[in-house]
Amino acid sequence: MQTAIPDQRKVARPRADALRNRERIVLAAREMFVEHGPDVPLDDVARRAGVGNATVYRNFPDRDALVREVVCSVMDRTARAAELALAETGDAFEALERFVHASADERISALCPMVASTFDQHHPDLEAARGRVERLVAEVMDRAKAAGQLRSDVDVGDLMIAAAQLSRPPAGTGCVSADRFVHRHLQLFLDGLRAPARSVLPGAAVTLEDLRRPCDE
């Protein structure tokens, strides 16, 4: 019994260290993918994270695994922002505003395009993270519509496309210098979503199904 306790401690400590290292790698990769794109050398990610190359490859066997983890991590943080907005904000439209601005701060619009060109878009982890975000966005918008604060002729796809376009400087092309405009332009867009609508929008509201439909359809 006396030797069991030290053995358990020896097992627990590396697990905690490994978890911290993994988090440091994901954070460093997120920053570098936004700054330089997904092709940044993994050795550079290791240096920024303050870990050895072997630690990176022990956690992520290839680049696709690391990119996927970064995107899923950002989506999870964005989903938590939506949950907090719903829980803490009595005003339905203010909850929508908080979510959109939090999404921009998470750089989700700069990272998500990497999915299409880097790895399997239908990976279970990615689909789960994406589905959670989409459900919460729909809930935030539905609540604002029910309160009569959000114009009725918009759907989740409208919000996601516009927010992505307004907050996504292409990775590696002056993201930091463009940050000063992001929240200003997002707020202009959000003001245009308020009900009552001042104009009739051309076309139909964009749904999630529209976003998933191939471009040639």
Side-chain angles (χ1 to χ4, degrees):
M1 294 297 295
Q2 291 180 345
T3 58
I5 294 176
D7 287 343
Q8 289 175 353
R9 287 176 179 172
K10 288 179 181 178
V11 171
R13 187 171 300 159
R15 284 202 298 264
D17 291 345
L19 179 59
R20 284 194 295 271
N21 283 338
R22 185 180 179 89
E23 291 172 347
R24 290 165 66 183
I25 293 167
V26 172
L27 176 59
R30 170 179 174 261
E31 294 172 350
M32 298 198 76
F33 290 165
V34 169
E35 294 170 10
H36 306 293
D39 295 327
V40 62
L42 297 189
D43 289 354
D44 292 352
V45 174
R47 277 193 291 272
R48 181 170 294 195
V51 301
N53 296 359
T55 302
V56 173
Y57 287 104
R58 186 161 56 247
N59 282 275
F60 304 101
D62 54 38
R63 183 182 301 275
D64 285 358
L66 178 56
V67 174
R68 180 171 58 248
E69 180 69 15
V70 169
V71 173
C72 288
S73 173
V74 170
M75 284 188 174
D76 287 342
R77 288 168 62 91
T78 302
R80 286 196 293 273
E83 290 171 337
L84 285 174
L86 286 166
E88 297 177 355
T89 308
D91 183 276
F93 199 88
E94 184 181 340
L96 178 64
E97 291 178 319
R98 281 185 54 180
F99 166 73
V100 170
H101 286 293
S103 298
D105 286 337
E106 289 298 332
R107 312 276 198 175
I108 193 169
S109 58
L111 292 170
C112 286
M114 299 177 189
V115 175
S117 60
T118 308
F119 60 83
D120 180 11
Q121 299 182 50
H122 302 293
H123 189 281
D125 292 347
L126 178 63
E127 289 197 330
R130 182 166 50 206
R132 182 183 174 205
V133 171
E134 290 173 351
R135 288 191 299 272
L136 286 165
V137 172
E139 185 177 352
V140 172
M141 293 183 70
D142 287 345
R143 195 171 83 169
K145 284 183 180 180
Q149 296 176 303
L150 176 64
R151 55 190 300 162
S152 60
D153 55 350
V154 294
D155 209 324
V156 177
D158 293 301
L159 179 71
M160 296 180 73
I161 288 175
Q165 290 177 339
L166 290 171
S167 62
R168 188 179 68 202
T173 55
C175 293
V176 175
S177 63
D179 278 353
R180 56 194 171 126
F181 303 119
V182 168
H183 291 289
R184 174 182 176 86
H185 294 162
L186 283 175
Q187 192 59 50
L188 285 170
F189 162 67
L190 286 164
D191 286 348
L193 292 181
R194 284 188 177 274
R198 289 179 169 269
S199 62
V200 177
L201 294 176
V206 181
T207 66
L208 291 174
E209 289 70 26
D210 293 328
L211 293 184
R212 298 190 182 103
R213 188 174 297 124
C215 295
D216 56 356
E217 288 188 8

